Amino acid sequence: MSTTATAELAVQTERRDTPRTPILRAVLLRQETWLLAVVVVIAVIASVRNPNFMNPDNLVEILRGSVIYFIMGCGAALLVIGGGLDFSVGAIFTISALVGTSLISQGVPIVVGILAALAVGALAGVVNHLIVTYWHVPPIIATLGTFFIALGLSALITGGNDVVPLPADFMKLGQGSVLFVPNVIWYGLIVGALFYLVLERTRFGINVRAVGGNRQAAVGNGLRVVRIDLVLYVLAGVTAAIAGMIYSARVGAGQVEAGGSSVTLVVVTGVLIGGVSLLGGLGSITGVAVGAVLLSVIDNALIVAQIPPQYNNVVVGAILVGAVAVDHLRRKQLYKPR
Amino acid sequence: MSARLDPATAALLAEINQQPPSLALDSTPDELRAGFSELLRHLHPDTPSPFIGSVRADVVGSAQGGVPVRVYDPVGATGEDVVVYLHGGGWVLGGLDSAEPAASGLATAMGVRVISVDYRLSPEHPHPAAYDDALAVTRAVAATKPRWLGVAGDSAGGNLAAAVGLAAADRQVHVDAQLLFYPALDPSMRAPSHAEFADGFLLTGEAMAYYWDAYRGPSRSAGASFAPLDAPSVAGSPATVLATAGHDPLRDEGARFAERLADSGVPTVHLRSPSLVHGWVDQMDRVPEAAAAFRRAVGVFDGLRRDHLTAVEGSTSARKREDHVRN
């Protein structure tokens, strides 16, 4: 397929940046704009109830609360944009971290342990891809299945025990701060920047949008969709593994009970709230970042504003439904004949 | 989403709930203390203590005339490494007897001297009395220049240990490591776990509010020695092992403190026991998972001690080598 054809396909899929779109309209059409508005509204309400909400420590706390989900969300979002879905990320997080930390705790060099964890994440991605592509199992079911398998294997590997102790040099990777910003937030920024560049500035990113936006057209135009799918599932697995290892270094233990269904749900919810369309083709890393931050802001604001935490799920659910409805309208706008 | 409640814990809770309430908050403090002792007798069947060594009572000097302590020296302990243990009980309940299983368990598992502190209780002696006693004992031990000094405590004792840790960060005393079992750190009680586990998991939200009020006293105490999570900075705190329980109102404040310590560059290990409830150190005889969690946490704490000693020995032999080369 020629570069021109690929670009045309991508433009057909995602027309938000066409020069014909007035800037204000383009801004208003972006999911991030609306999400930021929601963040600002919540922040204002929380600040009125408690001025401490806006103090720098609390803002760092909010970012810290979102960063693990954001890192996982980057890989998961790219996959959803490409038309896939991964419900197993919460379990990949657990199993890869347990394999990595088990090796490290047994004296294997830290770098090797980290690479082994990433390899487990990649392998899980390959397995997901094989099940979806060659067994024709819908992604939601395939990855739900691997979710349970990975979680069960995690418990088997460790006998249900957390992996401790871990060497201080490994823990240092997840603990401490640079320029008053916790290390873990820097990791989020690095992963986010890499995924932003891949999605927005590479041919692979254009192809991902093309495959997710119109799979048949992508195949017709000669894109190697199976290979793209494979890379996307692997990336989702690897980012889950990265998050798992960062988390383990942060808490100083490989935790059997970390990850799991709650992590999967938060990651997928953040990705969807962030404007990544389940129908594929649409979405951005900045949207995922705002989605993850929004979830953390809701958590934090309810605590700081002394609103009972039971409201948390109600608010998150309402925002999720609202965000997907807005996404639908946005899609209609984008595809409206002019 | 919470993990499932440990089956042995669930059975224990059901058993306790069938008994008449022994900790009615409208009772006098002494009645509450009697009820707490009764509960602990229930939790510790007549299993013989695995502790082998000497136990003696002592009084450690302080400005207020001395703090009673109980010193556990397991067989083989040299007394060079010491853990100061601060019992739980909401600053209102408990004492040397209630701390016996945890203190002797620590001594046995680590093979080091453990000094259990009989600090003054609230509401008769509100903050800072208990903190002052904890700090006084730690200072007195630190003055003997042990090779390694750790502080440890559960629940309210975890609060006191963390507060002593912050005093160490402030260079008021030298402490090498701290072990905090489900510490009480945030009197605002705003974290989500407070709403999630307000009732039915042994420690109730109502009881915790009572304990904070009793400890706060009429002077409306505040500050980091009262509420360690409010400390403007936790940097410089001793290396930390913080163990929380999944079904505990205090779960989230413990987790938040661990995050703050980690971000401040304090070597921190946060161990979660998702299936356990508050007070699991007292449930070790009845709940195998609680005993396993205790062994894990103490194992990591002991690892910090060993690492410290290795580092000290390393630098000492390096210094000797340098001296040798120089001479």
Side-chain angles (χ1 to χ4, degrees):
Chain A
M1 182 186 180
S2 70
T3 312
T4 322
T6 314
E8 274 170 13
L9 197 58
V11 169
Q12 186 186 333
T13 311
E14 175 84 5
R15 281 173 41 187
R16 53 179 192 174
D17 293 330
T18 52
R20 282 186 299 164
T21 312
I23 292 173
L24 182 64
R25 187 161 173 270
V27 169
L28 286 177
L29 273 178
R30 289 187 79 98
Q31 184 90 340
E32 296 95 308
T33 311
W34 295 99
L35 287 176
L36 274 175
V38 175
V39 169
V40 170
V41 169
I42 294 174
V44 168
I45 295 171
S47 304
V48 168
R49 289 192 67 131
N50 186 341
N52 286 336
F53 181 83
M54 291 303 282
N55 82 32
D57 279 350
N58 196 49
L59 297 180
V60 167
E61 178 90 20
I62 289 170
L63 290 179
R64 195 167 53 194
S66 63
V67 72
I68 292 284
Y69 300 119
F70 170 63
I71 290 172
M72 296 173 77
C74 285
L78 215 61
L79 174 61
V80 176
I81 292 169
L85 183 63
D86 190 350
F87 261 40
S88 65
V89 285
I92 298 175
F93 172 99
T94 310
I95 193 168
S96 49
L98 289 176
V99 169
T101 52
S102 295
L103 291 171
I104 291 170
S105 76
Q106 284 163 23
V108 168
I110 292 169
V111 177
V112 176
I114 292 172
L115 289 176
L118 300 191
V120 170
L123 180 67
V126 172
V127 171
N128 279 333
H129 174 255
L130 290 176
I131 297 172
V132 170
T133 307
Y134 296 104
W135 290 3
H136 305 291
V137 179
I140 188 167
I141 298 169
T143 57
L144 207 53
T146 50
F147 169 88
F148 284 112
I149 293 168
L151 219 51
L153 287 176
S154 303
L156 285 173
I157 290 168
T158 58
N161 295 319
D162 290 346
V163 181
V164 282
L166 296 173
D169 285 344
F170 174 68
M171 285 159 57
K172 275 181 198 156
L173 296 174
Q175 304 184 355
S177 300
V178 175
L179 300 174
F180 305 106
V181 176
N183 289 357
V184 66
I185 294 178
W186 287 113
Y187 294 137
L189 289 172
I190 293 166
V191 172
L194 286 174
F195 272 79
Y196 176 85
L197 290 174
V198 166
L199 184 61
E200 306 293 344
R201 296 279 180 269
T202 67
R203 189 169 159 191
F204 177 75
I206 293 172
N207 290 348
V208 168
R209 285 194 196 283
V211 171
N214 191 334
R215 195 173 182 86
Q216 280 185 331
V219 172
N221 279 288
L223 282 187
R224 294 174 170 178
V225 290
V226 172
R227 206 161 71 176
I228 291 172
D229 283 347
L230 172 65
V231 174
L232 292 178
Y233 276 104
V234 166
L235 285 176
V238 168
T239 47
I242 292 171
M245 288 306 275
I246 292 173
Y247 179 83
S248 301
R250 183 157 184 73
V251 299
Q255 295 183 345
V256 183
E257 301 278 355
S261 55
S262 55
V263 169
T264 287
L265 281 179
V266 175
V267 169
V268 174
T269 305
V271 164
L272 295 180
I273 285 180
V276 176
S277 172
L278 259 186
L279 299 172
L282 290 181
S284 68
I285 296 302
T286 47
V288 176
V290 181
V293 169
L294 174 59
L295 290 178
S296 186
V297 163
I298 294 169
D299 259 354
N300 187 282
L302 293 183
I303 295 170
V304 173
Q306 300 194 42
I307 295 167
Q310 290 87 339
Y311 287 95
N312 187 326
N313 289 342
V314 177
V315 174
V316 169
I319 289 178
L320 174 62
V321 172
V324 175
V326 168
D327 171 59
H328 178 69
L329 292 175
R330 197 165 64 104
R331 190 168 270 263
K332 270 172 72 178
Q333 282 290 323
L334 282 166
Y335 288 101
K336 197 168 66 182
R338 299 183 194 182
Chain B
M1 202 177 290
S2 301
R4 271 187 295 240
L5 191 60
D6 171 76
T9 305
L12 186 64
L13 290 180
E15 196 182 304
I16 290 169
N17 289 337
Q18 277 172 1
Q19 311 279 328
S22 55
L23 292 174
L25 296 174
D26 53 359
S27 315
T28 65
D30 281 335
E31 285 169 342
L32 277 176
R33 285 165 196 149
F36 187 59
S37 302
E38 193 185 315
L39 176 66
L40 290 179
R41 269 195 298 277
H42 196 80
L43 292 173
H44 301 298
D46 298 327
T47 35
S49 166
F51 178 78
I52 302 171
S54 73
V55 182
R56 64 186 163 85
D58 202 348
V59 175
V60 175
S62 85
Q64 282 76 27
V67 183
V69 298
R70 191 176 286 173
V71 183
Y72 297 83
D73 276 316
V75 168
T78 57
E80 290 174 295
D81 302 338
V82 184
V83 176
V84 173
Y85 192 80
L86 300 150
H87 68 82
W91 307 278
V92 174
L93 318 170
L96 297 176
D97 289 341
S98 72
E100 176 97 30
S104 65
L106 256 178
T108 303
M110 296 177 68
V112 302
R113 172 175 291 173
V114 172
I115 300 179
S116 181
V117 182
D118 196 11
Y119 57 82
R120 286 168 292 166
L121 297 177
S122 300
E124 296 90 337
H125 303 283
H127 180 267
Y131 166 72
D132 285 345
D133 289 352
L135 186 58
V137 171
T138 312
R139 274 188 177 144
V141 176
T144 65
K145 302 273 179 222
R147 206 165 51 154
W148 178 86
L149 171 58
V151 290
D154 62 295
S155 193
N159 164 290
L160 297 171
V164 169
L166 290 170
D170 209 20
R171 297 182 184 280
Q172 297 177 44
V173 63
H174 177 81
V175 175
D176 293 303
Q178 57 182 349
L179 170 60
L180 314 176
F181 293 110
Y182 38 84
L185 302 162
D186 178 15
S188 78
M189 295 174 53
R190 277 192 224 142
S193 53
H194 274 283
E196 204 176 336
F197 305 106
D199 206 7
F201 298 94
L202 212 58
L203 174 67
T204 64
E206 201 187 353
M208 198 60 230
Y210 168 89
Y211 295 140
W212 277 115
D213 280 347
Y215 186 42
R216 185 183 282 117
S219 64
R220 314 298 296 166
S221 267
S225 68
F226 176 70
L229 199 59
D230 287 348
S233 165
V234 297
S237 289
T240 303
V241 179
L242 196 153
T244 51
H247 294 69
D248 180 0
L250 308 188
R251 179 194 66 193
D252 293 350
E253 59 204 69
R256 196 164 171 211
F257 195 61
E259 296 243 304
R260 287 197 63 194
L261 289 166
D263 285 340
S264 303
V266 175
T268 305
V269 177
H270 177 197
L271 299 170
R272 298 166 195 265
S273 290
S275 64
L276 298 181
V277 296
H278 189 81
W280 53 257
V281 168
D282 293 323
Q283 299 154 25
M284 287 190 286
D285 288 344
R286 303 287 302 276
V287 178
E289 175 55 27
F294 184 78
R295 282 195 300 273
R296 261 197 307 275
V298 174
V300 178
F301 192 51
D302 198 34
L304 292 178
R305 178 181 72 91
R306 290 167 194 275
D307 288 349
H308 176 86
L309 297 183
T310 310
V312 169
E313 275 167 22
S315 63
T316 310
S317 39
R319 228 182 355 259
K320 276 184 186 159
R321 270 200 307 274
E322 278 170 21
D323 290 346
H324 183 73
V325 170
R326 223 174 274 139
N327 297 332

